[in-house]
C-alpha cells in the first residue's frame, strides 16, 4: 500500500556483506543431474580467462560443462565447445537445438562475455554498442532462443561481468554493461522457470591470474542458489545489493537548490513529467526554461493562428497553451525541436540557450519513450524496439554531456524508472535503458559531475489515466503534486548518484517481484499458491457472466486466487480487477503448468478476459494437435508463436 508521507519514499542502493560457504562437494553439485536428465552448464566464456577456468573446474567436478565463445558463425568446435556470432539471433537457436538433439539440457548458463579488463572505457556510443552486443543483445537472443525452442526446465542464468556495479566507489563503471541488469529483472518475470542473477567481479591486476577462490565461489553461487539476484565479489568477500530507506540523518536540511530566474534545460520538456516540473520551476522561481522535444512547436508568430484553426484536443494546441501558461507564471520559455541523441542538434540548442540566457544552471533529462510503445514481450522484442528505447536514454544521455561541454551545473537529474529495479512484464528494453541511466549517473559522479539518476515510481495524470491503469497499479502511483514535492526533496538531498522513489515499501516489492517470494501477509496454501483474502467483485462496466465451460471455470478460479477476488466473470477485464503486469506473471506460469501451453504475453495484454484466454488456449491446443499429426511438426512449431 502507498506510504502517505512523501519523505518516506526515498531509498538508496547499498551493499551488505553476505559470504557463502564454498560448497563443491559431490552431493550438492550432483543435485541437478539427478533431477534433470542430461543436465549441463553452458559457459559463455570471456576472453580474459575466467570462463575457461570455470569450465575446467566444473569438469574436474565431473560436470558436463560446455564452453561457448564468440565467433563469426555457429560451429561445433573441438573439445565439445561451440562458437557463435554474437549478433546473429539464429546462432543461439542453433546452439540450443543442437544441445537438445544430443539430449542435453542446460540447467545453468553462465554468461561472461562482458568480463573484460578494459578499465576506464571512454563513454562513447561505439564503446557502449560493443558492450551491448556482447552483454545485452546476446542475453536477449539467448533467452529468445530458449523460448522459441520451448525449453521449460528450471534454469539459472548468471550474468557475470566487470565494471557493471559500483560497490566500493573505487570502480570505474562501464554503463553499457549495465543494460543487462534491467534485462535480468524482466527475464524471470516473463519466463517463470528461469532465475537470473547478476554477478559483478573485479578484474585482477594484469599480472595476476583469476584466483581459484573466485572460481569456486562463482560455481557455489549457482550450486547453492541463494535468493539474492544482484551480487558482487570484492577481495575475499561476497556483497549483495540492497535498497535501504534514506537514513534519517540524510533528510534535507538546506534550502532547495533552485535559483531565482535560474536557467533550466528540460529534455522531453513538452512531455507530461517535463511540463509538471516546468510549471513548478515557473511558479516557484520564475525560471528561464529550455524545453526540448523532437516535435517542438510551430514558430511563435504562428501560435494564434494555430490555436484558432485547431480544436481543444489537438496535441500541439495543448502544448502551446501550456507554454503560454508557464509564461503567465513569470517564466521565460524557449522551445526547441531537437533529438537529444543528435549531438549537432543538441549543441545548437545549448548554444542558442546560452546566447539567449547567458548561462545554464541545471538539466532535467526527461526524454524517453513510455506507455504502450515501451511494452514488448522479450520473445517479441527486436533490436529496433530496444534501439527506440536506447535513443533518448542511452545515446541521448551520452550526447547530453558532450553537448554540455563541461558546463558547471547545480544538478543534472536523469529521469529513470523503478523498472530498472522491479522490472515488469514487457519492460525488457525499458528497464535496460533505465539501468543504463543509473550506472551513468554513478560514473558521472565518480568524474565529479553533479548527476543523479532518479528511479521514479509510476506517475498518474488525471482520473482517466487512473482508470486505465487498473486498481492496484494506480493505488501506488504518485500525482503531479506529489511528484513536485518529491522533486524538491530530491534536490535538497545533496550529492547522490542514484535515488529510488517508491511510494510503497520497496523491500517488500523487491521480495515479491524480483525474488518472487510469497507475499508476507499470505502463508503458502496447500498447493503452494498465495492464499489471499477474498474481496467482493468490484463495480465494473461489464455485467457478471459466469464461466460456461470447464476451461473457463479453471481460468476464472486462477484469477480469483491471484487477484484475491471472490468471483470473476468471463468478460471482466484483468486490469480493471486490479491486475497489473507483475501479477500477470503468476497467471502465465500457472497457465503454462496447468494447460501445458506457451501463450504469448501479448494475448493477456490484448485480450485480458477469461473468455479471451480460454479461446487462446483452445487455439494453441488445436494448433499443437494439428502439428503432432503432421510430419516435421516440431520444427514448424518453433517458427510459430507458441
Ligand atoms: N510517466 C511515468 O509514470 C514515469 C515513471 C518513471 C519514469 N518516467 C520517466 O520520466 C520521463 C518522462 O516521462 P513522461 O511520462 O513525461 O513521458 P512523455 O509524456 O511521453 O514525455 C516524454 C517526452 O520525451 C520526448 N522525447 C522522446 N524521445 C526523445 C528524443 N530522442 N529527443 C528529445 N525528446 C524526446 C517526447 O517528445 P517528442 O516525441 O516530441 O520527442 C515526449 O514528450 C521518461 O524518461 C520516463 O521513462 C516516467
Amino acid at each position: 500500500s502507498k506510504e502517505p508521507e512523501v519523505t518516506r519514499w526515498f531509498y538508496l542502493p547499498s551493499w551488505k556483506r553476505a559470504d557463502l560457504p564454498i560448497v563443491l562437494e559431490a552431493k550438492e553439485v550432483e543435485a541437478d543431474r539427478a533431477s534433470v536428465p542430461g543436465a549441463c552448464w553452458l559457459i559463455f566464456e570471456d576472453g580474459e580467462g575466467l570462463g575457461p577456468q570455470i569450465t575446467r573446474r566444473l569438469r574436474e567436478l565431473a560436470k558436463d560443462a560446455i564452453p561457448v565463445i564468440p565467433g563469426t558463425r555457429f560451429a561445433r568446435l573441438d573439445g565439445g565447445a561451440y562458437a557463435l556470432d554474437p549478433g546473429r539471433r539464429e546462432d543461439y537457436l542453433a546452439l540450443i537445438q543442437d544441445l537438445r538433439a544430443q539430449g542435453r539440457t542446460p540447467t545453468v548458463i553462465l554468461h561472461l562475455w562482458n568480463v573484460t579488463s578494459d578499465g576506464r572505457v571512454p563513454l562513447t556510443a561505439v564503446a557502449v554498442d560493443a558492450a551491448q552486443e556482447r552483454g545485452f543483445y546476446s542475453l536477449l537472443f539467448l533467452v529468445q532462443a530458449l523460448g522459441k525452442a520451448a525449453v521449460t526446465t528450471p534454469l539459472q542464468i548468471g550474468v557475470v561481468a566487470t565494471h557493471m556495479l559500483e560497490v566500493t566507489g573505487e570502480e570505474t563503471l562501464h554503463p553499457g554493461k549495465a543494460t543487462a541488469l534491467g534485462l535480468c529483472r524482466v527475464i524471470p518475470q516473463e519466463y517463470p522457470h528461469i532465475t537470473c542473477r547478476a554477478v559483478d567481479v573485479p578484474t585482477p591486476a594484469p599480472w595476476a591470474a583469476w584466483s581459484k577462490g573466485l572460481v569456486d565461489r562463482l560455481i557455489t553461487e549457482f550450486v547453492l542458489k541463494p535468493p539474492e539476484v544482484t551480487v558482487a565479489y570484492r577481495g575475499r568477500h561476497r556483497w549483495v545489493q540492497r535498497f535501504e530507506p534514506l537514513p534519517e540523518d540524510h533528510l534535507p536540511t538546506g534550502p532547495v537548490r533552485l535559483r531565482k530566474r535560474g536557467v533550466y534545460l528540460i529534455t522531453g520538456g513538452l512531455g507530461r513529467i517535463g511540463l509538471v516540473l516546468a510549471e513548478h520551476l515557473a511558479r516557484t522561481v520564475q525560471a528561464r526554461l529550455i524545453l526540448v522535444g523532437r516535435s517542438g512547436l510551430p514558430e511563435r508568430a504562428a501560435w494564434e493562428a494555430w490555436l484558432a484553426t485547431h480544436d481543444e484536443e489537438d496535441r500541439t494546441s495543448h502544448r502551446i497553451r501550456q507554454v503560454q501558461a508557464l509564461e503567465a507564471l513569470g517564466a521565460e520559455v524557449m522551445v526547441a525541436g531537437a533529438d537529444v541523441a543528435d549531438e549537432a542538434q543538441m549543441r545548437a540548442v545549448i548554444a542558442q540557450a546560452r546566447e539567449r540566457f547567458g548561462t545554464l544552471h541545471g538539466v532535467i533529462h526527461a526524454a524517453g519513450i513510455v506507455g504502450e510503445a515501451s511494452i514488448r514481450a522479450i520473445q517479441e522484442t527486436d533490436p529496433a524496439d530496444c534501439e527506440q528505447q536506447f535513443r533518448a536514454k542511452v545515446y541521448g544521455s551520452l550526447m547530453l554531456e558532450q553537448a554540455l561541454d563541461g558546463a558547471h551545473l547545480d544538478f543534472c537529474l536523469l529521469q529513470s524508472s523503478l523498472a530498472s529495479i522491479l522490472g515488469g512484464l514487457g519492460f525488457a528494453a525499458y528497464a535496460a535503458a533505465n539501468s543504463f541511466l543509473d550506472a551513468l549517473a554513478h560514473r558521472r559522479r565518480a568524474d565529479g559531475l553533479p548527476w543523479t539518476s532518479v528511479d521514479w515510481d509510476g506517475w498518474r495524470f488525471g482520473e482517466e489515466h487512473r482508470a486505465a491503469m487498473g486498481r492496484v497499479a494506480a493505488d501506488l502511483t504518485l500525482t503531479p503534486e506529489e511528484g513536485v514535492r518529491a522533486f524538491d526533496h530530491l534536490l535538497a538531498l545533496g550529492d547522490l548518484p542514484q535515488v529510488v522513489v517508491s511510494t510503497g515499501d520497496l523491500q517488500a516489492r523487491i521480495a515479491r517481484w524480483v525474488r518472487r517470494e510469497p507475499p508476507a501477509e499470505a502463508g503458502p496454501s496447500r498447493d503452494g499458491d498465495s492464499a489471499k483474502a477474498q474481496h467482493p467483485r468490484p463495480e465494473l462496466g461489464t455485467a457478471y457472466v459466469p464461466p460456461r465451460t470447464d476451461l473457463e471455470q479453471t481460468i476464472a478460479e486462477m484469477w480469483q486466487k491471484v487477484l484475491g477476488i471472490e468471483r470473476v466473470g468471463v468478460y471482466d477485464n484483468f486490469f480493471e480487477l486490479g491486475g497489473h503486469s507483475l501479477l500477470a506473471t503468476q497467471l502465465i506460469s500457472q497457465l503454462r503448468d496447468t494447460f501445458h501451453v506457451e501463450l504469448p504475453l501479448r494475448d493477456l495484454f490484448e485480450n485480458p478476459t477469461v473468455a479471451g484466454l480460454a479461446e487462446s488456449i483452445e487455439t494453441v491446443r488445436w494448433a499443437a494437435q494439428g502439428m503432432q499429426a503432421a510430419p516435421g511438426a516440431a520444427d514448424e512449431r518453433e517458427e510459430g508463436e507458441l
Side-chain angles (χ1 to χ4, degrees), residues 267-274 292-296 315 319 338-341 365-370 391-393 415-418 430 434 456-461:
T267 71
L270 293 172
R272 295 167 310 172
I273 293 182
V292 183
R294 287 163 306 177
S295 23
R315 185 168 171 249
R319 289 178 163 185
D339 182 338
V340 69
H365 181 40
I369 305 295
V370 298
R391 182 123 195 113
K393 300 225 173 202
Q415 309 301 296
S416 180
S417 162
L418 202 46
Y430 183 67
N434 286 296
W456 286 104
D457 213 325
W459 288 50
R460 152 166 53 95
F461 303 90

Side-chain angles (χ1 to χ4, degrees), residues 62-99:
K63 299 295 293 180
D64 183 11
I66 304 165
V68 183
I69 58 168
T72 50
R73 61 186 179 84
F74 173 74
R76 259 201 232 179
L77 306 175
D78 291 342
Y82 286 90
L84 54 79
D85 175 353
R88 253 176 67 94
R89 211 191 282 228
E90 303 85 325
D91 283 12
Y92 298 82
L93 187 57
L95 168 69
I96 301 300
Q97 285 176 330
D98 204 64
L99 293 172

Side-chain angles (χ1 to χ4, degrees), residues 254-373:
V256 173
R257 284 189 299 170
L258 290 177
R259 297 177 190 236
K260 194 77 185 162
R261 306 208 64 243
V263 180
Y264 300 109
L265 180 141
I266 309 182
T267 71
L270 293 172
R272 295 167 310 172
I273 293 182
L275 279 170
V276 167
L277 297 180
E279 189 199 317
H280 177 59
L281 296 175
R283 193 182 295 282
T284 50
V285 293
Q286 290 70 54
R288 289 171 290 167
L289 298 168
I290 304 109
L291 306 183
V292 183
R294 287 163 306 177
S295 23
L297 284 182
E299 283 299 313
R300 197 171 273 267
W303 285 8
E304 285 312 320
W306 185 284
L307 291 175
T309 51
H310 292 82
D311 62 27
E312 291 283 315
E313 304 298 309
D314 178 66
R315 185 168 171 249
T316 304
S317 300
H318 173 72
R319 289 178 163 185
I320 292 175
R321 284 200 196 86
Q322 298 263 16
V323 172
Q324 289 174 333
L326 295 175
E327 290 172 341
L329 288 168
E332 261 186 80
V333 184
M334 173 183 139
V335 175
D339 182 338
V340 69
D342 184 312
E343 190 181 347
Q345 288 184 13
M346 282 309 288
R347 278 192 189 279
V349 168
I350 289 171
Q352 211 187 330
R354 284 210 172 101
E355 201 178 302
R356 177 162 171 189
F357 299 126
T359 183
L360 190 59
H361 295 120
V363 172
I364 297 170
H365 181 40
I369 305 295
V370 298
E372 270 185 37

